[in-house]
Amino acid sequence: MSNKFIYVFGPSKTEGAADMKNLLGGKGANLAEMCRLGISVPPGLTISTEACTVYTEQGAQSIQKLIEADVKQGMAFVEKEMGKKFGDAADPLLVSVRSGSRASMPGMMDTILNLGLNDEAVAGLANKSGNERFAWDSYRRFIQMYGDVVMGLKPESKEDHDPFEVIIDEIKEKQGVELDTDLSTADLKQMVNEFKAMIRTRLGREFPNDPWEQLWGAVMAVFQSWNNDRAVYYRQMNDIPGSWGTAVNIQSMVFGNLGQNSGTGVAFTRDAASGEDIFNGEFLINAQGEDVVAGIRTPQQITLEGSRRWAELALVSEADRAAKFPSLEEIMPAIYKELLKTETALENHYKDMQDIEFTIQEGKLWMLQTRSAKRTGAALVRTSVEMLKQGLIDEKTALLRVAPDRLNELLHPVFDGQAIKKARLIASGLPASPGAATGQIVFFADEAEEWVAQGKDVILVRQETSPEDLRGMVVAKGILTARGGMTSHAAVVARGMGKCCVSGAGSVRVDPKARTMTVDGVVYKEGDWVSLDGSTGKVYEGKVPTKDAELSGDFGTLMELADRYKRLAIRANADTPEDAKVARNFGAVGIGLCRTEHMFFEGDRIKSVREMILSQDEAGRRKALAKLLPMQRGDFEGLFLEMDGLPVTIRLLDPPLHEFLPHDEAGQTAMAKEMGVSYDNIKHRVDDLHESNPMMGHRGCRLGISYPEITEMQARAIIEAALNAKAKGRDVKVEIMIPLVTTVREFNAQAKVIRDTIAAVFKERGVEISYLLGTMIETPRGALVADSIGKQAEFFSFGTNDLTQMTLGFSRDDIGKFLPFYLRDGMYEQDPFQSIDQKGVGLLVKMAVEKGRAVRTGIKLGVCGEHGGDPASIDFFHRVGLDYVSCSPFRVPIARLAAAQAAISN
Ligand code: ADP
Ligand code: MG
Ligand code: MG
């Protein structure tokens, strides 16, 4: 840790820069960078994240003592830049106090504006600006924010309103006005008095009048907010360590509330929902700070094009639009031009889509923030591909910029076009974040959590959302708000999560107390079903059916690019021809795991399977197996036909037999009848097969070793299916895999049964085909003796689910009971069944890879556990030199991208 805690920025001196995010937070670093680029930024100072760490460890007094002198010096710098004095009664310097951590956490922590105002300074500000209303509007805002953030005046319960808003609403009602901007100076003065009285009553102390006391209170509150519930939760969700801390920015104020030639806004250099390369954003005239995002008034669009698109969606006529909601481009063309120039310069400088905040003070433009914009998965793909085509970034950057898991959003279903035509449209809002969502209405975030915990799908309906609603937004299928624009909290957060959101559906009246939403006189209650289309902003009654998304265009381009960089091949785990087809469409180049037993449950087959298991002798088993043979052969043939030209790995029967048995009386009675034996006989046999620890019991190759006729039947089914497919002109690549091997003797015994059976089939048919015979490496012993196994087996497929289970001794089915504590206490950083434990299980994999390669050159090595679709695990498998990973069909595109990223980063 350095002993420099304060970094100033301004036109005459700037100490920070964009690459100092760890120390200055994203906001502070980028404010400094903008100063360096010569962009107009109100001067200020940043207190480093290291100070936050001192605050957390040693408390407010210690940190204040440590930085007090430097903060004073920094403030003196700002005073000089601005030609005003902090705490001056005649012409006060006012500042904002803004949090800003290393990773962007929009709206998660708190900001205070207009700090430095008090009863004397407000008069000075009025005098100096010649605008008394503005001075009192600033003052009331300051008290409101400070009262909330520093003094902790929040609503008393979730149904209650903000205590400040209650006072505002009362005054508005009394004066008969609807908008904040219609309040008179006298109203604002009264508001200030009532705010202060309320603070006095509720807290028993006065609102602080001393600017320095205000400043330190605000700084400490920002440090404190790093550990508030919603910030902690957001960090957990996004894997942001608590140790990072937040920086604090103290910045001289510029005022968007100085009248009709002032305003404030936010903008994106491209479209955050679709990724389209079109400058867009929203602003409000005569407004300050959060007004735009808080959805207090309907914001106006920045560009004319955007304004027209908005009007169409909001069902506003062109005449109304031009009169009531004109764009910035129309009303302030010079400012608009400058903004356009700035946004282009920023995007070119950072080489990424930016999310910017600005304020216009009496015809002058000030930039207040720039950051890499949060956007949907679709927008991530499109912006990356287009920036590549535009020459802004190179191929590697384009690939690295898309977090593989974000592709999930593009693979999600959309509403079925036919169904949508028939559905009843009840309201229209803004297409804030694309996707199709169907669920039951809930009005509160905590209730959304409760409902979802009960297994329900919910749509969270709010007047507007605030950071407190985050938990509810995370679990909801979609979010609907009555107020707020494309840059509202709900919209920004939903896009960041890739969650469907319709915002600003003006015709929706939300009554949280009554738990109803009313549209055109129709009342929808909590629990009623609605469907949201986040791509069109439309809200439908009831459940609208969905269909699969289409994958082409930019997505296809990105995938092709990924394939050019990756070294790992991506296969899929697929058990049926349908799965295989999906996998092929997603770009899988083979099947890495076909679980034969999945075919055993279909239709009547389970009866034959049970008969086989329950038979007392080999003859009985063979009889049952003979019934299964044609079914298995048919299944495999379907797979081979679908996977023409690509390898298909089929695993022999693996699960504990008890999974197939009838455990209830009815099932046992039915089986007794089927097999012509007594009920007692069956019951006895089921009890006999009971195991205390089935996952370590009679399963895997142990089955084929006890009952070789099962292996025989499966080998025959596979190879006959292959010959059938070959006869139909297909190029068949068969790989047969023996599960759960711990010693080469198990492998050899099973291999002999398989090879003999296949030789017999070849003889019968008079045709031959080549095939590979390999094994799963999924027991620790199997990995330890991989060299002796590798001399016999032609390929290894790491079954990392079982390998994890057996190496850690964690039962995958029981982990839910203790994993939450393990993650909480940091015993493991991640669920080891989701992301491979590289240090432990990974070591076994690495060792087995080396041993396998040492005894057999060109041995084929892959992985077929859940980990095959996890980006961090894929990075590991790339590094240990596997040939392929195999994952579920829907994760194939994610794995392709992750494999490319692994190749680029290592
Ligand atoms: P967040 O991290 O939630 O985006 P910010 O610190 O950016 O919070 O503050 C929110 C808003 O307050 C900004 O978008 C800006 O409009 C306004 N704001 C912050 N500082 C100033 C300032 N010095 N002058 C004018 N407005 C400001
Ligand atoms: Mg901001
Ligand atoms: Mg296994």
Side-chain angles (χ1 to χ4, degrees), residues 651 654 695 699 739-740 776 778 799 801-803 806:
R651 177 180 70 184
D654 176 59
M695 288 314 281
R699 58 170 291 220
L740 222 70
M776 296 202 56
E778 54 181 339
N801 297 343
D802 270 310
L803 194 59
M806 294 192 222

Side-chain angles (χ1 to χ4, degrees), residues 529-591:
W529 286 83
V530 285
S531 299
L532 307 182
D533 188 338
S535 314
T536 60
K538 303 252 189 291
V539 184
Y540 301 91
E541 196 173 271
K543 294 190 217 182
V544 179
T546 55
K547 68 172 176 68
D548 291 343
E550 274 167 34
L551 304 168
S552 52
D554 296 326
F555 180 86
T557 309
L558 191 76
M559 285 294 110
E560 280 164 29
L561 195 58
D563 289 345
R564 281 207 273 117
Y565 279 87
K566 73 179 169 48
R567 185 187 55 71
L568 282 168
I570 312 299
R571 296 196 189 180
N573 298 348
D575 306 329
T576 63
E578 295 77 51
D579 283 355
K581 191 169 179 178
V582 173
R584 246 198 130 134
N585 279 342
F586 281 147
V589 292
I591 289 178

Side-chain angles (χ1 to χ4, degrees), residues 27 98 357 369 371:
K27 200 179 285 169
R98 320 170 63 187
E357 300 178 0
Q369 190 169 340
R371 63 183 164 201

